[in-house]
Amino acid sequence: MPKVSSADLAERRADILEGARKAFAEHGYEGATVRKLETATGKSRGAIFHHFGDKENLFLALAREDAARMAETVSTEGLVEVMRQMLRTPQRYDWLATRLEIARLLRTDENFRARWHKEQAVLDKAVRDRLEANAQAGRMRTDVDVDTLHAYLEIVLDGFISRLASGAATDNLDRVLDVVESTVRNHSTT
């Protein structure tokens, strides 16, 4: 049996993730059956699960990948910029339409909840670090603590994703994000 290079394995893994992202976006978490994942990825069940073990691991790998990408943006530009990117390139985030299913799993499956929070930790840390840095630099309002602002931005992100996932009009969402940004800033320095 020929030896497969690590670059080839990484490419196969990336191909599977890209196809799975489309399958989850189109069919949801529950509806993305193994057969649909095989079709979307162009890979066999064996190849998919060789790389990811099972559907939940595959799904959480997407969560990890997106959380890392979003954390990178948050660290330099903030969480509101992540939401602006969702408006500009919705196809990169369309699998997040599974958010309602994720909420159900978070509420009902302790193991999934622990794994999900672990995958999202990098994003949470980036948001908290950015808020703390902005507070120290005087760019953020001082009458509300960092924990409250962090919770506020998480709630806005959840609602924003739900709005995008529902197919509702997005015409004014850029202006809504301006309002969100304005509510966190320190206006005495602007």
Side-chain angles (χ1 to χ4, degrees), residues 44-107:
S44 70
R45 166 187 316 240
I48 294 168
F49 296 132
H50 167 76
H51 289 280
F52 296 98
D54 60 25
K55 183 168 106 171
E56 185 174 298
N57 283 327
L58 176 59
F59 187 78
L60 289 169
L62 286 171
R64 182 181 324 112
E65 187 178 83
D66 279 8
R69 184 177 66 232
M70 289 189 281
E72 190 175 310
T73 300
V74 165
S75 68
T76 58
E77 301 174 63
L79 188 59
V80 171
E81 180 56 28
V82 169
M83 291 183 261
R84 290 187 195 286
Q85 287 178 6
M86 288 178 183
L87 282 175
R88 287 192 299 268
T89 57
Q91 66 281 1
R92 290 183 71 196
Y93 298 94
D94 57 359
W95 80 280
L96 288 174
T98 61
R99 199 68 167 196
L100 294 177
E101 291 175 284
I102 293 168
R104 182 186 57 77
L105 288 168
L106 291 173
R107 192 178 72 251

Side-chain angles (χ1 to χ4, degrees), residues 81-149:
E81 180 56 28
V82 169
M83 291 183 261
R84 290 187 195 286
Q85 287 178 6
M86 288 178 183
L87 282 175
R88 287 192 299 268
T89 57
Q91 66 281 1
R92 290 183 71 196
Y93 298 94
D94 57 359
W95 80 280
L96 288 174
T98 61
R99 199 68 167 196
L100 294 177
E101 291 175 284
I102 293 168
R104 182 186 57 77
L105 288 168
L106 291 173
R107 192 178 72 251
T108 61
D109 184 333
E110 289 181 39
N111 181 49
F112 183 87
R113 180 175 42 250
R115 294 179 73 203
W116 177 263
H117 288 302
K118 180 182 175 199
E119 301 306 345
Q120 296 301 300
V122 66
L123 178 58
D124 287 339
K125 181 179 181 337
V127 171
R128 182 169 302 287
D129 289 351
R130 173 106 176 151
L131 288 170
E132 288 172 356
N134 282 341
Q136 289 174 357
R139 292 187 298 263
M140 195 173 72
R141 62 189 299 168
T142 57
D143 61 327
V144 180
D145 62 273
V146 167
D147 288 338
T148 301
L149 289 173

